[in-house]
């Protein structure tokens, strides 16, 4: 079946850039999402990208999509301690009963 | 708008007890979902609904039942709770291209 994979942990220093990577298997995925979960809270949508785009930028966030390799990345510029959270990658295929396929999440630790 | 709300926020049950978790959304979304989140397991879909009066099984439906009698509400029931159902439960709703909006979660402990 479809799968989404992410590395589980990432540690960066405050002020550096963070890059969180994700690979997915369903080449028919039409939307790819990044969600953020802060400790003790629900998930919040950070950003998403259509499958016909290569890049999307939104303030400190840059999403890169390589459809050929089925690879998605989220870059956070000037990472702050408030960015410490779990980041989930998810892939959507309209033919899959509108269900999202979720990665396990990458726990980002930002060190002062 | 309150978005997606979940009741209760915390609950402790004894093995064999039953309970119902309530999810409510005020965004007129057609689709609603129940997930559980466990360490190292990510999010796993329990049941979902594509509209009022409809429900469908997700990845891990055993031991749970759901009902969607009103469009804005999605109920998750545990008929006979087991320690393996200790988890954090999230409800979500969506419309259109499936951007999902999540509730704050319910922390359930089954002793």
């Amino acid at each position: 079946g479809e799968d989404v994979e992410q590395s589980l942990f990432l540690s960066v220093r405050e002020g550096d850039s963070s890059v969180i990577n994700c690979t997915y298997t369903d080449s028919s995925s039409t939307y790819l999402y990044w969600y953020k979960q802060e400790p003790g809270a629900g998930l919040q949508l950070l950003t998403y990208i259509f499958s016909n785009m290569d890049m999307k930028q939104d303030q400190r966030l840059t999403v890169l999509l390589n459809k050929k390799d089925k690879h998605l990345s989220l870059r956070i510029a000037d990472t702050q301690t408030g960015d410490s959270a779990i980041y989930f990658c998810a892939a959507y295929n309209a033919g899959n009963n509108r269900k999202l396929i979720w990665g396990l999440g990458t726990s980002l630790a930002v060190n002062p | 708008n309150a978005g997606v709300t979940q009741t209760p926020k915390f609950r402790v049950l004894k093995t064999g007890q039953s309970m119902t978790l309530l999810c409510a959304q005020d965004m007129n979304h057609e689709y609603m979902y129940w997930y559980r989140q466990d360490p190292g397991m990510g999010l796993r879909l329990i049941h979902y609904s594509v509209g009022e009066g409809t429900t469908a099984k997700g990845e891990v439906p055993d031991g749970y039942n759901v009902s969607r009698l009103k469009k804005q509400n999605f109920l998750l029931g545990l008929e006979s709770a087991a320690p393996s159902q200790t988890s954090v439960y999230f409800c979500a709703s969506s419309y259109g291209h499936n951007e999902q909006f999540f509730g704050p979660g319910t922390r359930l402990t089954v002793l």
Side-chain angles (χ1 to χ4, degrees), chain A residues 9-44:
Chain A
F9 301 100
L10 177 65
S11 178
V12 300
R13 291 181 66 173
E14 192 173 15
D16 287 351
S17 291
S18 309
V19 179
I20 303 171
N21 294 301
C22 168
T23 57
Y24 59 97
T25 58
D26 184 0
S27 56
S28 299
S29 296
T30 49
Y31 295 86
L32 294 134
Y33 298 86
W34 285 106
Y35 282 80
K36 177 182 180 182
Q37 184 182 30
E38 295 182 356
L43 281 72
Q44 287 180 286

Side-chain angles (χ1 to χ4, degrees), chain A residues 31 33 35 37 39-45 48 50 86 88 92 96-100 102-105, chain B residues 31 33 35 37 40-43 45 48 50 57 90 95-105 107:
Chain A
Y31 295 86
Y33 298 86
Y35 282 80
Q37 184 182 30
L43 281 72
Q44 287 180 286
L45 180 67
Y48 65 90
F50 296 112
I86 301 175
F88 289 90
Y92 170 71
N96 194 20
N97 281 323
R98 298 184 182 249
K99 290 183 286 181
L100 287 176
W102 295 88
L104 293 183
Chain B
Y31 299 84
Y33 312 83
Y35 292 94
Q37 184 178 33
M41 305 288 284
L43 283 173
L45 183 65
Y48 64 101
V50 300
K57 293 180 180 180
F90 288 102
Y95 180 81
H97 63 66
N98 220 35
E99 173 188 341
Q100 293 187 11
F101 294 82
F102 281 79
R107 293 184 179 275

